[in-house]
Amino acid sequence: MANVRVGIVGPTGYAGMELVRLVAGHPRMTLVYLAGSGARTGPLDAHLPHLHPLADALPPVEPLDVRKAADACDLVFVALPSGESGRVAWGIFQSGRDRGVKVIDLSGDLRLPPDVYEAWYGKPALPREAIEEACYGLPERHRQSIREAALIANPGCYATACALAVLPLGDLLADVTGPIVFDAKSGVTGAGRAPKEHLHLGELANDAYPYRVGKHQHTPEIEQALGGAVRVLLTTQLLPVPRGILACAYVPIPPDQAPMVYDRYTSFCEGEPFVRFLREGEMPHIKAVNGTNECHLAVHWDERSRLLQVFSAIDNLGKGAAGQAVQNANLMLGWPEREGLNLVPLWM
Ligand SMILES: NC(=O)c1ccc[n+]([C@@H]2O[C@H](COP(=O)([O-])OP(=O)(O)OC[C@H]3O[C@@H](n4cnc5c(N)ncnc54)[C@H](OP(=O)(O)O)[C@@H]3O)[C@@H](O)[C@H]2O)c1
């Protein structure tokens, strides 16, 4: 299937504008529909000047019409705030089901069972039918189900960085002797584009601090992504940089398993197009993954504390959002996973 007609709902948001950049550069996708709240309409590059070079390839932004999205597109990415996003994704999926329209929702609305969602998001969940229809889109764990799915719940940014940090441990995860502690730090675009006082330059510049301690909604998502057998403690911290996530996992593996860890990471990453196990002595940098769909991993067994440290870096808008969504689309459409995602970051 070539020249798949693609729609993006929420192209003026941070995740949506990254989707526009990736879809416009994808050799088998054509952007045919862009829609938002109606607050920003018309030529997208009039709102986002970095998209001027794409102006001729972009349809104008219109107020969202679910029926039109389902009729005009073969594939729709939905990147709206939680609460709204899953509802819209489910509506487009239902309207386009007969035509086989594929939908990828970037919010948390379709990722968790209804009771867990309501407890952590504090919002009413979507109908159970919608949540059961959606496939959790972490390719490194659910590749085959994603290939067969028509509705995807694209994983959260912290959840992706943290789950990928420890998934290479495989069945060793069942032997951990206590909770896995994740200390994760994110750039400010993770909070979305709507202005908030604590995100102003004057507030955040020269600062860094923990937030949503004990209640970050990606905690149950990480536990679910790891198969439900491991308890997770997640600390999320805000960094005064625009994008990128750096997560450090502290994993209490049985010490006699430590000599096997390096081989497990090596063989896991050998088969993965976007997860790179760095050479010994190298450490992940957010600058080395920003603008890409890559995840960089490094490990250190600490003999004194008997804890395994794993370091993981992703771009919250790349592997944490738009990049992973395009990777999922490639899988759903039977294309090579790296199609449209051969991206090199800007280091300077
Ligand atoms: N930012 C990240 O790093 C990241 C990572 C992973 C997942 N996500 C998820 O992706 C989704 C979008 O996040 P974001 O950071 O891109 O948010 P954002 O920057 O705040 O953008 C939100 C977008 O939604 C549109 N919108 C808001 N209400 C709408 C409505 N009622 N109908 C139609 N459009 C509406 C806005 O359009 P207008 O300009 O027209 O108002 C805007 O384009 C969220 O669910 C978020 O959790 C984000």
Side-chain angles (χ1 to χ4, degrees), residues 5 8 10 31 64 70 72 75-76 102 109 124 126 144 176 178 197 259 280 282 309 312 321 335:
R5 297 169 306 158
I8 297 174
L31 259 176
L64 173 63
L75 166 71
V76 184
K102 299 182 192 308
D109 294 346
L126 284 164
Q144 193 48 40
V176 292
E197 189 175 295
E280 222 167 338
E282 290 181 349
Q309 285 174 290
S312 166
W335 298 335

Side-chain angles (χ1 to χ4, degrees), residues 5-9 30-36 41-42 58-78 88-97 99 101-103:
R5 297 169 306 158
V6 175
I8 297 174
V9 184
T30 306
L31 259 176
V32 297
Y33 184 70
L34 296 175
T41 52
L58 298 178
V61 185
E62 14 183 314
L64 173 63
D65 177 337
V66 165
R67 182 79 250 173
K68 186 169 177 188
D71 288 345
C73 307
D74 306 308
L75 166 71
V76 184
F77 296 97
V78 184
V88 167
W90 179 234
I92 296 171
F93 174 78
Q94 285 181 304
S95 299
R97 194 195 288 252
R99 281 191 47 246
V101 174
K102 299 182 192 308
V103 181

Side-chain angles (χ1 to χ4, degrees), residues 63-324:
L64 173 63
D65 177 337
V66 165
R67 182 79 250 173
K68 186 169 177 188
D71 288 345
C73 307
D74 306 308
L75 166 71
V76 184
F77 296 97
V78 184
L80 306 184
S82 319
E84 194 61 18
S85 204
R87 195 184 61 74
V88 167
W90 179 234
I92 296 171
F93 174 78
Q94 285 181 304
S95 299
R97 194 195 288 252
D98 292 347
R99 281 191 47 246
V101 174
K102 299 182 192 308
V103 181
I104 300 180
D105 178 35
L106 278 78
S107 80
D109 294 346
L110 294 164
R111 296 179 198 150
L112 297 168
D115 54 330
V116 182
Y117 178 87
E118 289 183 355
W120 287 83
Y121 280 78
K123 293 177 186 167
L126 284 164
R128 183 171 287 279
E129 185 196 354
I131 291 156
E132 285 176 357
E133 180 72 41
C135 171
Y136 187 67
L138 188 63
E140 294 73 12
R141 190 166 155 78
H142 301 292
R143 186 165 272 115
Q144 193 48 40
S145 320
I146 294 166
R147 286 196 178 105
E148 290 155 17
L151 178 63
I152 294 284
N154 209 58
C157 46
Y158 281 118
T160 298
C162 295
L164 290 180
V166 298
L167 271 179
L169 289 170
D171 56 7
L172 259 187
L173 282 171
D175 297 333
V176 292
T177 56
I180 300 180
V181 175
F182 291 100
D183 181 354
K185 302 168 180 71
S186 174
V188 68
T189 50
R193 198 164 177 228
K196 297 170 196 101
E197 189 175 295
H198 69 286
L199 304 178
H200 292 176
L201 179 67
E203 302 292 324
L204 189 58
N206 304 322
D207 202 6
Y209 57 90
Y211 68 99
R212 296 190 70 77
V213 173
K215 48 184 185 220
H216 198 284
Q217 67 276 14
H218 288 182
T219 307
E221 190 184 328
I222 299 168
E223 289 180 346
Q224 181 178 273
L226 298 180
V230 186
R231 186 55 88 197
V232 158
L233 174 64
L234 171 65
T235 304
T236 47
Q237 306 190 49
L238 195 54
L239 290 181
V241 298
R243 63 201 278 178
I245 287 184
L246 184 63
C248 179
Y250 300 86
V251 195
I253 55 167
D256 63 334
Q257 301 292 322
M260 266 79 89
V261 162
Y262 203 84
D263 284 349
R264 283 186 182 246
Y265 277 79
T266 304
S267 60
F268 180 93
C269 293
E270 266 169 9
E272 285 302 335
F274 294 105
V275 190
R276 195 174 299 275
F277 187 38
L278 300 182
R279 285 178 287 248
E280 222 167 338
E282 290 181 349
M283 280 291 148
H285 287 242
I286 56 175
K287 277 205 319 185
V289 293
N290 276 349
T292 78
N293 192 46
E294 312 285 324
C295 171
H296 286 183
L297 300 178
V299 297
H300 169 70
W301 167 251
D302 189 63
E303 188 60 40
R304 291 175 63 252
S305 61
R306 313 227 130 187
L307 285 170
L308 177 73
Q309 285 174 290
V310 189
F311 307 96
S312 166
I314 63 166
D315 179 355
N316 56 296
L317 298 174
K319 185 64 174 160
Q324 183 140 264

